[in-house]
Amino acid sequence: MSEPFFEYASCYEHEDGRVHLKIDHTIKVCRIMDELTAWLGLDEHDRFLAHTVALYHDIGRFEQLRQYGTFVDHRSVDHADLGVQILKDGSFLDALDEEDRRIVLFAVENHNKYRIGPCDERTRLFARLIRDADKCDIFRVFACEDLNQATSTSIEQIKDDVVSDEIEQMIMAHRPIVKEKRKTGLDVWITFLGFFFDMNFSKTMEIAREQGYYRLLFDQIRFHRCQDQIDRILQETERFMDEQLKQKKDG
Ligand SMILES: [Fe+2]
């Protein structure tokens, strides 16, 4: 099932070394998705459909990189919208019936938006699944892959940076970070912590909490101007997570 994806992606590999980052990310998101859908007890067909969404959610990244030389959407193109176009133009989803194809396209299109667009409950489930599985692996990308690629920042520069008040307020209000409101490099880092306020399933929150990638970089740095602020933000985020996970266990 995944062959057409790998065939397609490998065509871009010789053009740019960064292509392998997205292939690797896709493989890991597929794994998390499988774990999540098994945990939810979805039937075989829906597990397959969710896996298909995971496999193709970032298909737009390769053309984005080729055409614009960047993964930064606001400097190029919305990679999810581009992905939908590529899936519609290609034969990747030909084996699916029309309804399943519609669900995959909707989930891909909505995997990176601030909120999921209007849709029926079943379609919404697949959009929620990919948003969670994707976020889970983005924490790893943030902590382990080339920082400049992922965030356009460097550790040297971030040490002296600050978090904008408005961004800190979003964390304290348990709201995901609005990208357009970010002013500093550290605001971009805080965006990842904001992911926890937009998670749909306790399973993915648990995976991310256990992996601990979300705080790895913050722990490596002594922030010259805003260590107190970072401590507060991490503390509030973890308090929120623990509260959510405890509620799930109790409930
Ligand atoms: Fe994406």
Side-chain angles (χ1 to χ4, degrees):
M1 172 185 73
S2 48
E3 237 166 64
F5 169 81
F6 288 108
E7 230 168 73
Y8 174 85
S10 66
C11 294
Y12 290 84
E13 238 173 345
H14 64 276
E15 287 192 33
D16 197 309
R18 288 174 287 175
V19 164
H20 85 269
L21 293 176
K22 290 297 165 193
I23 298 177
D24 194 37
H25 169 64
T26 298
I27 293 169
K28 293 195 164 75
V29 171
C30 283
R31 268 188 219 144
I32 295 164
M33 182 64 101
D34 292 344
E35 199 180 332
L36 177 59
T37 54
W39 177 80
L40 281 168
L42 298 191
D43 67 29
E44 202 180 325
H45 177 80
D46 284 0
R47 291 209 307 268
F48 163 80
L49 201 56
H51 187 95
T52 306
V53 171
L55 188 62
Y56 290 116
H57 81 283
D58 263 355
I59 191 86
R61 286 300 195 186
F62 307 108
E63 263 306 304
Q64 176 185 40
L65 191 63
R66 192 185 68 78
Q67 288 180 27
Y68 302 93
T70 179
F71 290 134
V72 181
D73 283 15
H74 69 261
R75 286 195 207 128
S76 56
V77 65
D78 183 311
H79 72 278
D81 295 349
L82 181 59
V84 166
Q85 205 47 55
I86 288 161
L87 291 173
K88 280 182 175 169
D89 292 344
S91 56
F92 302 100
L93 307 178
D94 281 4
L96 302 183
D97 68 24
E98 208 182 314
E99 174 62 4
D100 284 349
R101 209 159 43 230
R102 187 191 60 74
I103 288 174
V104 172
L105 292 174
F106 182 90
V108 170
E109 185 182 350
N110 282 272
H111 88 268
N112 68 338
K113 304 295 186 282
Y114 189 70
R115 294 275 184 230
I116 301 171
C119 63
D120 61 86
E121 266 317 294
R122 176 166 166 74
T123 308
R124 195 173 174 77
L125 168 67
F126 291 90
R128 294 168 88 217
L129 288 168
I130 187 57
R131 288 166 72 92
D132 271 34
D134 189 28
K135 284 188 180 79
C136 236
D137 191 61
I138 291 175
F139 292 125
R140 179 195 60 82
V141 173
F142 169 51
C144 305
E145 302 288 4
D146 182 337
L147 193 60
N148 194 30
Q149 279 305 320
T151 65
S152 305
T153 61
S154 67
I155 288 185
E156 273 319 301
Q157 163 212 339
I158 226 80
K159 277 180 186 168
D160 293 311
D161 215 344
V162 291
V163 181
S164 306
D165 288 342
E166 207 176 353
I167 299 297
E168 182 178 358
Q169 282 159 18
M170 287 180 205
I171 294 283
M172 294 305 163
H174 301 165
R175 287 207 314 269
I177 304 304
V178 180
K179 287 186 179 172
E180 294 73 23
K181 300 280 185 189
R182 300 180 303 192
K183 295 188 192 80
T184 72
L186 202 44
D187 289 347
V188 176
W189 283 33
I190 300 297
T191 310
F192 299 106
L193 299 178
F195 282 1
F196 288 110
F197 308 118
D198 183 31
M199 276 201 161
N200 302 293
F201 304 98
S202 60
K203 180 68 181 171
T204 29
M205 195 176 271
E206 202 177 275
I207 293 172
R209 179 83 161 106
E210 270 172 27
Q211 288 181 335
Y213 288 128
Y214 67 91
R215 62 171 299 150
L216 212 67
L217 287 181
F218 291 105
D219 286 342
Q220 284 169 21
I221 296 169
R222 187 78 208 151
F223 293 91
H224 296 147
R225 296 165 64 198
C226 64
Q227 187 64 48
D228 288 356
Q229 209 181 3
I230 293 293
D231 291 343
R232 267 200 310 273
I233 287 172
L234 276 169
Q235 200 180 15
E236 185 56 27
T237 308
E238 291 186 336
R239 201 190 61 73
F240 171 83
M241 270 193 268
D242 291 341
E243 187 64 29
Q244 294 285 313
L245 293 172
K246 188 171 170 289
Q247 271 178 22
K248 292 287 170 194
K249 271 187 192 129
D250 293 348

